[in-house]
Amino acid sequence: LSGNNPASGELTFPETIVGETSSSIEGTISSGSSTTIFEEIWTTSGEFIAVVTDSSRLGSAYPQGSEFRFQVQFTPSKRGSASAELLIRTNDPNETVRAWNLSGTGIGPQMFVSSGLNVSFGEVRLGSSQADSVVLTNLSTSFNTTLQVVVGLSSEAFVADTDSLSIPPGQRSEER
């Protein structure tokens, strides 16, 4: 198997935003010293998907030395680590099911804040006010990764236009 660490039986995906799909890990398995039929490919978790590429067909005989090609993708459903197994069933009597461990980490949506995480009003005279705005951008590209923002103020001297807002993927919102 080719992949990012096939010798150890581990395929590790990069951190991936919850609801988005990672880049694919390409895999190939050599048919070895005899003709092999690759019968089935699956994963033990719906967060990992295995797909046979166009040039490879399940149930077809692969002559000695030829390659079976597939891809595996990771779409986390929640934050934190996830793991599963990739399983491939063959007609090889010595190894009917070949298995590899899959792992990945789901992370929260990515946000860009125009002013960084702090807003500075500078020196403001007692009885007067100073306004500033912050632009929040949801950097996610997945249609189902809406950014939920809760505005928290540390003092009654500050007022925000809203207490919370939702920002769809790829969109931005300017808040005062």
Side-chain angles (χ1 to χ4, degrees):
L1 171 71
S2 342
N4 59 358
N5 195 0
S8 71
E10 287 280 335
L11 298 174
T12 303
F13 289 85
E15 288 184 335
T16 304
I17 296 172
V18 171
E20 294 194 6
T21 300
S22 69
S23 55
S24 297
I25 292 180
E26 306 274 330
T28 59
I29 300 177
S30 174
S31 63
S33 60
S34 63
T35 298
T36 302
I37 297 174
F38 296 94
E39 299 169 346
E40 187 178 10
I41 182 170
W42 74 99
T43 66
T44 58
S45 166
E47 292 182 302
F48 297 89
I49 303 295
V51 180
V52 177
T53 60
D54 291 338
S55 63
S56 297
R57 301 280 185 250
L58 288 173
S60 298
Y62 286 79
Q64 176 181 348
S66 61
E67 293 182 336
F68 174 75
R69 298 178 186 280
F70 60 92
Q71 295 178 345
V72 184
Q73 295 176 325
F74 173 52
T75 306
S77 61
K78 61 186 180 307
R79 290 182 186 189
S81 61
S83 60
E85 280 188 303
L86 168 66
L87 302 157
I88 299 177
R89 184 182 325 278
T90 72
N91 69 333
D92 182 344
N94 297 319
E95 191 177 21
T96 56
V97 176
R98 300 178 190 183
W100 293 268
N101 294 319
L102 304 172
S103 63
T105 301
I107 60 173
Q110 301 297 304
M111 176 176 67
F112 174 74
V113 181
S114 63
S115 63
L117 296 178
N118 297 308
V119 176
S120 175
F121 294 99
E123 190 173 308
V124 179
R125 292 180 184 234
L126 186 62
S128 62
S129 64
Q130 173 71 31
D132 199 356
S133 62
V134 174
V135 177
L136 304 170
T137 305
N138 183 349
L139 299 177
S140 175
T141 57
S142 175
F143 69 92
N144 61 352
T145 311
T146 298
L147 186 62
Q148 301 293 327
V149 178
V150 176
V151 178
L153 302 173
S154 61
S155 168
E156 290 180 18
F158 297 98
V159 177
D161 287 348
T162 185
D163 291 338
S164 65
L165 58 127
S166 295
I167 305 172
Q171 300 295 310
R172 54 185 258 160
S173 177
E174 183 172 356
E175 300 302 320
R176 293 184 59 83

